[in-house]
Amino acid sequence: METTRGPSGGAPARELAPTGLVTAAGYVAEGAPSYARAFQAVVNVEVEPRATVPRRAPEAPARADRLWLEHARAASVIDEEECFLVRGADRDWVRVRLTAHTALSAALPPNGGGMIIAMSPDGRRLCALTEEDEDYWIVVHDFEHRPTD
């Protein structure tokens, strides 16, 4: 995944507008998994969350955002420029940058069932914020270090 396919283009998906993310110039790794592959890594029956927050807990969205940021940093999903990849309007990856106002939970629908997937710029790891039943889940996946079957 050392080569690049060129600058990320376009804009983040429309539902990400309220998150406070800004589009950033930069490259997307040539071998980065497709959004569909990343989606499957998050929504399969074998997925175990790294952390959970009850959605009815006080300040649950803010707690979920803090946990997502903590796990995204620990998993090296966010690079040294505070950037990572999200789904673009054209379903390709778009490079974005964190801001002081970033809140991924702002993009989740009020009735549940939403998901935001953040991919490392090199395409090797992801950290997702999802809503599952009555909880927010933080899911981390490493595309290089999967358990053997």
Side-chain angles (χ1 to χ4, degrees):
M1 287 191 226
E2 296 298 323
T3 60
T4 57
R5 66 171 159 212
S8 66
R14 184 174 27 108
E15 60 270 16
L16 294 176
T19 62
L21 296 168
V22 295
T23 304
Y27 289 85
V28 176
E30 179 66 38
S34 67
Y35 181 81
R37 183 168 171 218
F39 180 87
Q40 287 301 322
V42 174
V43 297
N44 68 67
V45 296
E46 296 174 4
V47 169
E48 294 287 333
R50 208 46 82 83
T52 62
V53 175
R55 287 178 49 210
R56 294 184 190 264
E59 300 182 21
R63 287 177 54 201
D65 286 328
R66 282 191 302 273
L67 277 172
W68 173 83
L69 184 58
E70 177 184 312
H71 286 278
R73 286 192 191 285
S76 298
V77 168
I78 301 169
D79 70 13
E80 63 280 347
E81 296 175 342
E82 298 288 289
C83 294
F84 55 94
L85 308 176
V86 295
R87 182 177 67 107
D90 60 358
R91 292 202 179 260
D92 203 1
W93 294 112
V94 174
R95 191 167 188 254
V96 294
R97 178 173 285 115
L98 290 173
T99 68
H101 306 290
T102 298
L104 291 188
S105 63
L108 298 173
N111 297 327
M115 170 186 327
I116 314 289
I117 299 173
M119 176 78 68
S120 61
D122 63 9
R124 295 179 177 160
R125 295 159 305 281
L126 67 77
C127 185
L129 174 61
T130 73
E131 294 176 319
E132 301 293 332
D133 300 319
E134 298 298 317
D135 296 321
Y136 291 108
W137 281 20
I138 299 358
V139 175
V140 176
H141 181 80
D142 186 327
F143 287 98
E144 292 185 324
H145 298 98
R146 290 170 293 206
T148 55
D149 295 307

